[in-house]
Structures are given as structure tokens and as C-alpha cells.
Amino acid sequence: MVYKKLVVNISIRVILLTLTCIALSYVWVNFRDPLILLNLVALLIAQVYLFIRSMNQVNRKLKVYFDAFEFDDLGFAAVNGFHDRSFQALYSSMSNVLGSVRELNLENERQKQYFQTVTEHVGVGLLAYNTEKDVKLIN
């Protein structure tokens, strides 16, 4: 499994949450001791909070990564990737995508410069416009 550490982490948290709920119901039915009940409820709340926080941490990292793509800030996306060992395979895939996007951007820039150079040196007047009649290219 690619994200084995993440699966183990989630499994342990779910098992602990289940055991805490079972212990809470057992104490409620058999003892009804308010101090133990209060401690178990506090433990349950802490476990739920930590579980949600760990899942949101993954979501925040993914959001930062994709926001960097949206705003064309590829250097920022590379620096703020997943450096946690449990996400090493995901970070590797994201780095590969980042490299591919950089190569595509570089190739597009080369092509743009090539066409600009060709149109500047052609012996005939050229005018290119889009469907909204906006001039896109002129020499």
C-alpha cells in the first residue's frame, strides 16, 4: 500500500475512538461514576479533535499546493510540498507533475518566442485577431 503509514495512523485512531466509546458506555451502564465519565468524555473529545486536526492538515497542504498551481507559482508549490515521510510517495508524484508543468511552460515559452521571431522577420505583413476582433499578432 502506498500510504501505509497514513492507513495505520487512521486505523489506530479509529480503534482508540471505538474503545473509548465502548469504555464510556460500559462505565455509564455499570458504574455511573461522574469523575470517570467526565474523564472519558474529555478523552473522547480530545481524540476527535486530534483526528480532525490531522485530516485537516493533509487538506491544508493539498490546498496550498493546488493554489500555487492556480496562481502559477510553481516554485512555491515545490517548496511547500509534503515533506512528511508518510506522504513520500504522494510528494514524489506531485514533484513529477511539477516538473512536467515546468517543462510544458518552458516549451510554450520557446514556441512563443520562435513564432514571434518568425513573424517579425517575414517579408509579408501579418495581422492575427480572434473572434472578438482583438489583435493578437502584428508585425
Side-chain angles (χ1 to χ4, degrees):
M1 185 158 279
V2 177
Y3 309 107
K4 186 176 181 180
K5 190 173 181 181
L6 179 64
V7 171
V8 169
N9 187 3
I10 291 172
S11 300
I12 289 172
R13 287 180 186 272
V14 168
I15 289 169
L16 289 175
L17 280 168
T18 305
L19 290 176
T20 303
C21 289
I22 291 170
L24 184 64
S25 63
Y26 180 78
V27 168
W28 175 259
V29 169
N30 292 331
F31 300 112
R32 292 192 187 250
D33 184 5
L35 186 59
I36 295 175
L37 286 172
L38 184 65
N39 285 331
L40 285 174
V41 168
L43 178 64
L44 184 64
I45 290 170
Q47 287 176 340
V48 168
Y49 170 76
L50 292 174
F51 183 65
I52 291 171
R53 192 181 92 186
S54 70
M55 292 299 104
N56 281 338
Q57 182 180 12
V58 172
N59 291 338
R60 279 190 304 271
K61 286 181 178 182
L62 283 172
K63 183 182 181 322
V64 166
Y65 186 80
F66 289 117
D67 282 348
F69 269 102
E70 180 181 359
F71 297 115
D72 211 17
D73 188 6
L74 300 181
F76 184 76
V79 171
N80 293 306
F82 291 86
H83 298 292
D84 187 6
R85 287 187 324 168
S86 61
F87 296 103
Q88 198 61 42
L90 178 62
Y91 179 66
S92 175
S93 296
M94 291 168 86
S95 294
N96 291 342
V97 168
L98 187 63
S100 298
V101 169
R102 282 185 182 149
E103 285 296 318
L104 285 173
N105 285 347
L106 187 61
E107 184 59 34
N108 285 341
E109 188 61 34
R110 284 186 199 132
Q111 210 171 33
K112 179 182 172 186
Q113 288 178 358
Y114 171 75
F115 285 128
Q116 190 173 8
T117 304
V118 167
T119 56
E120 287 175 1
H121 292 90
V122 74
V124 178
L126 294 176
L127 179 66
Y129 57 92
N130 61 9
T131 57
E132 289 85 31
K133 306 290 190 234
D134 295 328
V135 175
K136 293 295 182 185
L137 178 69
I138 189 169
N139 68 342

